[in-house]
Amino acid sequence: MWMIYHIINRINQWLDEKLFFEGIDPRILTLKKVVIVAYIAALIPVIFMTALVWHFDMNTLLPYGFYLIAFYTIFIPLLFFLKRKIPITIFIGMTYIIVVTFIYTLKLGGLTNSCGIFFGSLATVIFTAIINDIRFAIWLSIIYVVTIILSGILQPYFQIPADIPPDKNVLFFTLNTTWISIYIIAFILFFILEQTKAEKEETRRLKEQDDAKTQLYTNITHEFRTPLTIILGMVEQIREDPDKWMHNGLKRISHNGKTLLHLVNQMLELAKLKAGANPVNLILSDIILYLKYLTDSFHELAQSKQITLKFSSPHTLYFMDYDPDKILHIVSNLLSNAIKFTPSGGQIEVSAKAAPHGQSSFTICINDNGIGISKDKLSHIFDRFYQVNNNTNHKSAGSGLGLALTKELITLLDGHIEVKSEPGKRTAFTISLPVTQEAPLTEDLSLSQFSELLSTFTSIPVIEKTAPLCHDNTDHAPPIALIVEDNSDVIHYLTTMLDQDYRIMTATNGKEGYKMAIKLIPDIIICDVMMPVMDGFEMLSQLKNDIRTSHIPFILLTAKADVQSRLEGLEKGADAYLTKPFNREELLIRLNKLIELRHTLKERYTTLTPIPPTDNKALQREDSFMEQVRTIMEQHMGDEAFGIDQICSETAMSRAQLYRKFKALSDKTVGEYLRSLRLKKAQELLKKTDLNITQVAFEVGFKNLSHFSHAFLEEFGYNPSKARKD
Ligand code: ADP
């Protein structure tokens, strides 16, 4: 039985490959496959039994075998090629088998003398299960039952043929019922196997759907939380100091309000499309004028990024049917993407033209020379909520809704969209729309009616450059806070909150943030999770695994409120996790707490004695760094020329990195610490050995005795000679 199961499984896989064609319904594929497998499996014993019948000269039964063989040899290839009307074809085939079997049951002298062939009909009826159509199953069962009853009733009217004596009937009855029974069992096994596979497939599909939904909610909440943080934050600031914040705050509130409105509009639009509740409202009007108007509306936004935006067309005007609302959504989505993904100094061109005579289509092309989209990502970009680099945190600003909506709108208009892109060079979206001229003529389309909707696409973010950081590393310089965030409004909001107490540096993605952190060794990092190029988690784990930056307190700032993300952040070493929308107080409290914690660390590392062991993994790393530096210092203590440069080369850090890390941990400069260490050693030597003061001074790297005495007095409040006396 196991063998049969195995063989069938192999055939199953082979058939999957052979029978598949683009667009085939998976249920039809299964149906074809099962029938082919079943018929091939039946053909073999049928040939064998027919040969046996021939051998025994059972001429009455012989044609039945031939009919069946002929049927299978025609029907099996037919199923390979047939692409439509498959269930009904199979039903007809099954009916044929039952009818032929019925005729031969009668010819053989009725049910009891049928050599068991009527079992073949029973197997056929059982097979209707796979057509999965109750009508076919009922019909076939009726036909079968009728043939059985008729065979019983008519039995007395038929003679038993001479070539089918009772012993042969018994032999063939046994053989036929045996192979047909095995055949039925194998079929049931196969059916269960397929059923289980189908169930698994369904579970996988449901899970995928579920994951997509979760992804959708995550993206949506992210999209809502960021603007909400700004709006709520700005309201707070305006309330506190209206004179200072009113103007700027209102601009940001308005921009973020529009971002929210845009998102809601897009979602509603998609929902309407899905529900089929978005009728096409065609007007016959000049599409060139309309496209120019749409492109013009984006000029200011493009200019704010120093992008050149051009419109070109060989036609001065072109009258055709179009739905202004839908064209607005389509073109605006593509244009705002082009602006979003083209760096400053780039170029975007919108071109529109009708196809040459004879082809009734109109194409709109939106070309940009921006970052481009990689080949493997191109086929997904029209999927809902798909964003390139789509591992949930790696994101570009946006919801991933725009292109899905664009595509659905274009489909609704009977058009189609194509995208070509060369990563790092250019992207071109080409839309083709059918040209008709049947809608009511609207010559004076009032364009102003679209301005409100357009403004949700063209709202310009308020960007303020942060002042370059002055490299003041003196003790009085305020600490450096590095803000890594892709939303300029959030950067602004955080800056206004912190710039009184911190020197603020900003980066707009994880990679840039990482480079800055390594270069500057900031005192604190506040970082978003979802960012383009490198996400916050990745940046966090890279910095926490780098000894130069592992000590820096790291606050993850995110719209991802789910527990899993929180845990992931904390596991990777985040010191705090703040969910948007957060308020000022909350952030300041977190910062203060981290700074307090930093102070306890300073006590741990200021001491010149060995650091007590700890279970805390993060602390262990810092402990070993401090121990390493101390060991290097102790080894070279007698060398007067020894200093920060040697420590830098042994720890593979730059002077600035070593300085900032060491100071952050111990609140002392490397030089101060080295001096204290030398003097402490001197104190020890004076107490415990007979070396004279000059020898001791020499031993700890002081070549100048008066310099040593002076330093000693300053450190301990008494002269070296006093230490000796004690
Ligand atoms: P989003 O709101 O995130 O921009 P879209 O559906 O509009 O969502 O776009 C999906 C993704 O396709 C974007 O996140 C981006 O990665 C990519 N994309 C779209 N247009 C362009 C373009 N002109 N250049 C580069 N990438 C693009």
Side-chain angles (χ1 to χ4, degrees):
M1 205 63 80
W2 185 239
M3 272 286 287
I4 295 170
Y5 173 87
H6 237 64
I7 293 166
I8 292 176
N9 211 2
R10 289 292 291 275
I11 297 172
N12 189 8
Q13 279 173 8
W14 179 80
L15 284 172
D16 265 340
E17 286 164 27
K18 294 284 163 214
L19 295 173
F20 183 81
F21 62 84
E22 205 59 54
I24 187 169
D25 178 342
R27 280 171 314 164
I28 296 293
L29 176 72
T30 312
L31 176 63
K32 272 179 133 190
K33 206 169 59 183
V34 177
V35 175
I36 289 172
V37 171
Y39 284 179
I40 292 175
L43 180 61
I44 300 161
V46 166
I47 292 174
F48 175 76
M49 293 304 294
T50 310
L52 217 59
V53 168
W54 188 321
H55 175 75
F56 284 114
D57 288 331
M58 296 157 72
N59 293 332
T60 318
L61 187 55
L62 196 59
Y64 175 68
F66 289 147
Y67 281 129
L68 286 188
I69 292 168
F71 167 76
Y72 289 136
T73 40
I74 292 168
F75 206 81
I76 295 168
L78 180 73
L79 278 179
F80 271 98
F81 296 111
L82 206 66
K83 292 199 170 163
R84 289 176 340 109
K85 299 205 184 296
I86 291 148
I88 185 77
T89 313
I90 294 170
F91 173 74
I92 294 168
M94 287 174 164
T95 312
Y96 168 85
I97 294 176
I98 295 176
V99 171
V100 172
T101 308
F102 170 60
I103 294 168
Y104 275 86
T105 305
L106 296 184
K107 278 193 170 186
L108 294 174
L111 278 180
T112 50
N113 207 56
S114 66
C115 296
I117 60 169
F118 69 89
F119 264 103
S121 296
L122 179 63
T124 305
V125 174
I126 292 174
F127 256 77
T128 48
I130 55 166
I131 306 183
N132 206 5
D133 185 321
I134 190 72
R135 285 167 312 160
F136 290 144
I138 291 174
W139 271 114
L140 223 60
S141 306
I142 292 173
I143 296 170
Y144 171 70
V145 172
V146 168
T147 60
I148 292 289
I149 294 171
L150 280 179
S151 308
I153 296 170
L154 297 175
Q155 178 144 353
Y157 304 101
F158 287 93
Q159 292 227 326
I160 294 172
D163 58 343
I164 315 285
D167 57 333
K168 290 212 180 111
N169 177 37
V170 170
L171 173 70
F172 277 81
F173 203 100
T174 315
L175 287 175
N176 275 331
T177 48
T178 309
W179 83 257
I180 293 172
S181 300
I182 293 173
Y183 182 74
I184 291 174
I185 292 165
F187 164 72
I188 290 170
L189 276 179
F190 186 82
F191 194 69
I192 292 171
L193 182 80
E194 279 300 311
Q195 215 59 354
T196 328
K197 248 174 72 181
E199 270 164 28
K200 273 193 194 147
E201 184 58 25
E202 182 65 10
T203 319
R204 195 188 57 77
R205 207 181 54 77
L206 286 177
K207 189 176 173 312
E208 245 178 46
Q209 235 177 36
D210 218 48
D211 289 350
K213 264 190 207 153
T214 314
Q215 181 67 42
L216 186 146
Y217 288 132
T218 315
N219 284 10
I220 293 287
T221 50
H222 186 269
E223 292 312 308
F224 276 94
R225 276 170 190 272
T226 307
L228 280 175
T229 303
I230 305 301
I231 293 172
L232 296 176
M234 286 297 140
V235 168
E236 199 61 33
Q237 285 187 323
I238 293 172
R239 192 180 293 146
E240 272 177 24
D241 190 346
D243 291 343
K244 187 172 174 194
W245 295 116
M246 185 65 85
H247 179 67
N248 206 310
L250 286 184
K251 271 207 283 187
R252 284 177 199 274
I253 290 175
S254 157
H255 172 70
N256 283 282
K258 280 183 182 155
T259 308
L260 286 177
L261 185 62
H262 176 63
L263 187 68
V264 172
N265 281 348
Q266 303 253 61
M267 290 178 67
L268 286 178
E269 202 67 24
L270 250 178
K272 272 201 278 177
L273 275 172
K274 288 276 164 210
N278 201 343
V280 178
N281 293 315
L282 294 178
I283 57 161
L284 175 58
S285 187
D286 177 10
I287 193 166
I288 300 290
L289 178 71
Y290 189 58
L291 290 174
K292 261 191 201 153
Y293 163 73
L294 294 181
T295 313
D296 278 349
S297 310
F298 281 84
H299 259 126
E300 219 179 315
L301 178 63
Q303 248 170 17
S304 75
K305 274 191 81 184
Q306 276 110 40
I307 291 170
T308 324
L309 175 59
K310 279 196 301 194
F311 177 82
S312 70
S313 173
H315 319 279
T316 36
L317 46 86
Y318 191 84
F319 275 79
M320 65 177 265
D321 295 343
Y322 65 89
D323 181 330
D325 198 60
K326 303 209 167 35
I327 295 291
L328 184 148
H329 270 102
I330 295 166
V331 172
S332 300
N333 263 321
L334 295 177
L335 260 177
S336 52
N337 271 347
I339 294 173
K340 200 156 48 173
F341 300 109
T342 302
S344 70
Q347 284 190 342
I348 299 169
E349 189 180 351
V350 182
S351 54
K353 67 167 192 253
H357 280 304
Q359 294 169 28
S360 51
S361 81
F362 187 84
T363 51
I364 306 166
C365 209
I366 293 168
N367 279 296
D368 68 65
N369 63 352
I371 62 167
I373 310 162
S374 67
K375 264 210 173 72
D376 53 324
K377 309 282 159 63
L378 270 184
S379 53
H380 295 293
I381 58 165
F382 295 111
D383 297 351
R384 200 190 286 206
F385 287 108
Y386 182 83
Q387 280 164 332
V388 172
N389 288 335
N390 199 19
N391 74 29
T392 61
N393 307 317
H394 245 161
K395 77 170 285 278
S396 359
S399 58
L401 272 178
L403 287 181
L405 178 62
T406 305
K407 170 134 195 194
E408 302 222 8
L409 285 171
I410 293 172
T411 313
L412 188 73
L413 298 176
D414 285 331
H416 74 269
I417 181 164
E418 257 177 37
V419 53
K420 286 197 180 121
S421 184
E422 278 179 77
K425 285 193 178 152
R426 64 183 66 93
T427 305
F429 283 91
T430 309
I431 308 153
S432 310
L433 296 170
V435 174
T436 54
Q437 272 133 359
E438 291 153 11
L441 181 67
T442 315
E443 272 186 277
D444 48 353
L445 177 68
S446 143
L447 295 172
S448 58
Q449 61 176 306
F450 304 108
S451 61
E452 202 178 318
L453 181 56
L454 260 172
S455 72
T456 64
F457 287 94
T458 58
S459 174
I460 302 168
V462 192
I463 298 169
E464 267 160 61
K465 287 249 173 294
T466 46
L469 185 73
C470 62
H471 282 273
D472 174 4
N473 274 339
T474 59
D475 283 352
H476 327 289
I480 301 173
L482 172 63
I483 300 170
V484 191
E485 163 67 69
D486 62 339
N487 182 307
S488 64
D489 284 335
V490 179
I491 292 185
H492 170 81
Y493 177 50
L494 287 169
T495 309
T496 56
M497 256 189 235
L498 303 173
D499 64 356
Q500 274 145 15
D501 305 317
Y502 290 86
R503 284 177 290 163
I504 307 288
M505 284 309 290
T506 59
T508 51
N509 66 57
K511 199 169 168 193
E512 211 181 289
Y514 173 76
K515 278 192 194 151
M516 272 185 156
I518 293 288
K519 189 166 159 227
L520 295 170
I521 317 290
D523 295 279
I524 192 146
I525 297 172
I526 302 165
C527 176
D528 190 19
V529 171
M530 287 168 127
M531 283 184 299
V533 192
M534 184 196 280
D535 66 51
F537 285 153
E538 210 172 313
M539 172 176 155
L540 167 66
S541 76
Q542 287 200 12
L543 289 178
K544 285 290 176 189
N545 284 317
D546 192 315
I547 193 64
R548 295 169 291 184
T549 48
S550 55
H551 66 285
I552 305 172
F554 202 109
I555 300 187
L556 270 177
L557 200 64
T558 178
K560 295 186 98 185
D562 60 309
V563 179
Q564 197 53 39
S565 307
R566 220 166 241 272
L567 287 179
E568 189 177 345
L570 294 174
E571 210 171 88
K572 290 206 161 97
D575 298 276
Y577 206 105
L578 224 68
T579 313
K580 292 177 191 171
F582 57 90
N583 68 23
R584 196 194 148 126
E585 290 305 304
E586 198 181 352
L587 178 71
L588 293 178
I589 288 173
R590 290 281 174 168
L591 285 172
N592 287 341
K593 281 259 171 279
L594 287 174
I595 285 162
E596 264 172 38
L597 202 77
R598 169 77 75 80
H599 278 299
T600 59
L601 276 190
K602 281 179 181 164
E603 276 160 31
R604 183 176 180 83
Y605 297 126
T606 323
T607 151
L608 299 168
T609 49
I611 302 159
T614 173
D615 291 336
N616 182 324
K617 281 245 161 46
L619 270 189
Q620 281 170 358
R621 204 170 17 218
E622 305 315 323
D623 287 358
S624 73
F625 166 76
M626 289 303 282
E627 291 286 3
Q628 186 197 6
V629 175
R630 216 170 55 141
T631 315
I632 298 169
M633 287 177 175
E634 278 169 356
Q635 281 166 354
H636 299 86
M637 204 172 263
D639 177 3
E640 194 191 24
F642 171 78
I644 191 161
D645 288 334
Q646 284 93 325
I647 308 176
C648 285
S649 72
E650 291 204 29
T651 52
M653 287 188 182
S654 74
R655 270 181 90 92
Q657 286 165 340
L658 180 68
Y659 175 88
R660 289 199 53 81
K661 168 139 191 154
F662 199 87
K663 179 94 171 111
L665 284 175
S666 66
D667 208 19
K668 279 189 170 181
T669 66
V670 179
E672 282 166 0
Y673 188 87
L674 177 61
R675 203 175 80 132
S676 299
L677 203 67
R678 280 178 160 148
L679 292 169
K680 188 170 168 288
K681 179 80 181 166
Q683 190 192 40
E684 247 174 62
L685 290 173
L686 287 168
K687 272 187 190 161
K688 293 186 185 155
T689 68
D690 296 331
L691 297 173
N692 65 35
I693 294 177
T694 317
Q695 282 171 323
V696 168
F698 201 78
E699 195 71 18
V700 296
F702 282 89
K703 301 289 176 278
N704 181 325
L705 190 61
S706 79
H707 187 193
F708 170 69
S709 302
H710 186 76
F712 196 93
L713 178 67
E714 206 176 53
E715 181 82 11
F716 301 111
Y718 54 84
N719 284 319
S721 49
K722 181 124 186 282
R724 164 64 19 110
K725 265 184 226 148
D726 293 343

